[in-house]
Amino acid sequence: MNPLLSVSQLSVAYGGIQAVRDLSLEVAPGEMVCLIGANGAGKTTTLKAISGLIAPHSGSVHFDGQPLTRLPAHQVARRGLALVPEGRGVFPRMSVAENLMMGAYSRRDRAAIARDLDQVHTLLPRLTERRTQLAGLLSGGEQQMLALGRAMMARPRLLLLDEPSMGLAPLMVRAVFDIIRQIAAGGVAVLLIEQNAHLALKTCARGYVLENGVITLSGNAADLAANPAVRQAYLGE
């Protein structure tokens, strides 16, 4: 099977500092893949380069066989990639309902948008209860759910998730990851960045380990979780 996302030899520099070096990874259609590493390893930079928010110094990004490398972020999103950013990035002065519709801003298929909105409310009933509430007044977990719902309104084929568990209570982390698994079960591929390596490797089928901007290990999640170096560095064992 050809990969849905193919990143090859990607390098990104900030002011002379090499944040990511010669990074290559793949995500197959419908696959869940994680990218784990310490703070500052280059994980968020990688997602920003894939999604068009920053321009790589070199390398390439292909989605469904088509090049994305020099496209602006809004065109990348229209190809079928949706980014749920670190910190959730909801619009705090807009209602829950308005935030969800922002996810469909580039779509014109009103009947399909209405169907997708119904599906989001089925998947995330808490948002239905709060649809008239300002997003800024939601709890952190509810904002994460809203960010996921907004991304799904773009009808993505690939969901890019940046630290979805950050700042959430354990009970809410479980709820959010249950939702992510349901989204993936619906056929949406997932590339997950998550500092909780145990949770990431438990959730995903495959993973990559990023250290100082370089991929140092890759493989199926169970093998990575059993790797002594990964256990010591990221699993606290």
Side-chain angles (χ1 to χ4, degrees):
M1 182 184 294
N2 292 328
L4 180 63
L5 175 71
S6 178
V7 180
S8 178
Q9 301 293 302
L10 189 74
S11 294
V12 183
Y14 293 112
I17 298 172
Q18 198 80 23
V20 174
R21 291 197 305 278
D22 296 328
L23 181 147
S24 297
L25 61 80
E26 292 184 347
V27 181
E31 187 181 28
M32 295 186 76
V33 176
C34 62
L35 182 61
I36 63 173
N39 271 338
K43 303 187 303 296
T44 294
T45 297
T46 299
L47 282 199
K48 286 183 174 179
I50 292 170
S51 59
L53 291 172
I54 56 176
H57 176 70
S58 60
S60 64
V61 179
H62 285 78
F63 184 71
D64 201 14
Q66 300 299 311
L68 297 183
T69 316
R70 298 297 168 187
L71 292 181
H74 68 278
Q75 290 188 23
V76 172
R78 285 176 179 157
R79 298 289 178 94
L81 287 83
L83 171 65
V84 178
E86 181 181 1
R88 299 174 275 278
V90 301
F91 301 103
R93 296 181 181 275
M94 296 172 64
S95 71
V96 166
E98 289 168 335
N99 268 269
L100 289 175
M101 290 309 296
M102 287 298 291
Y105 79 97
S106 66
R107 297 175 58 185
R108 298 292 178 265
D109 47 342
R110 292 187 178 182
I113 289 171
R115 287 194 298 272
D116 290 345
L117 188 59
D118 286 342
Q119 290 181 354
V120 167
H121 283 303
T122 299
L123 180 65
L124 301 162
R126 195 174 298 211
L127 298 185
T128 308
E129 299 165 9
R130 288 161 172 70
R131 59 181 174 268
T132 61
Q133 191 169 330
L134 293 181
L137 300 179
L138 300 178
S139 72
E142 290 166 345
Q143 288 188 12
Q144 187 66 62
M145 290 179 182
L146 178 56
L148 286 167
R150 182 182 61 192
M152 293 309 295
M153 287 302 297
R155 193 175 272 190
R157 297 173 63 196
L158 173 65
L159 198 56
L160 307 172
L161 300 174
D162 194 351
E163 302 282 6
S165 77
M166 181 180 286
L168 303 186
L171 193 64
M172 189 57 77
V173 171
R174 285 196 292 273
V176 166
F177 270 75
D178 281 346
I179 292 162
I180 292 169
R181 291 186 189 98
Q182 289 180 62
I183 290 171
V188 179
V190 173
L191 178 57
L192 167 69
I193 284 180
E194 178 55 60
Q195 197 153 8
N196 184 334
H198 178 76
L199 180 59
L201 293 171
K202 184 179 175 182
T203 302
C204 296
R206 286 195 307 112
Y208 295 86
V209 178
L210 188 62
E211 296 181 4
N212 298 316
V214 177
I215 297 286
T216 56
L217 287 169
S218 64
N220 72 59
D223 289 344
L224 289 176
N227 184 296
V230 174
R231 293 173 76 90
Q232 182 176 6
Y234 303 109
L235 303 180
E237 300 176 10

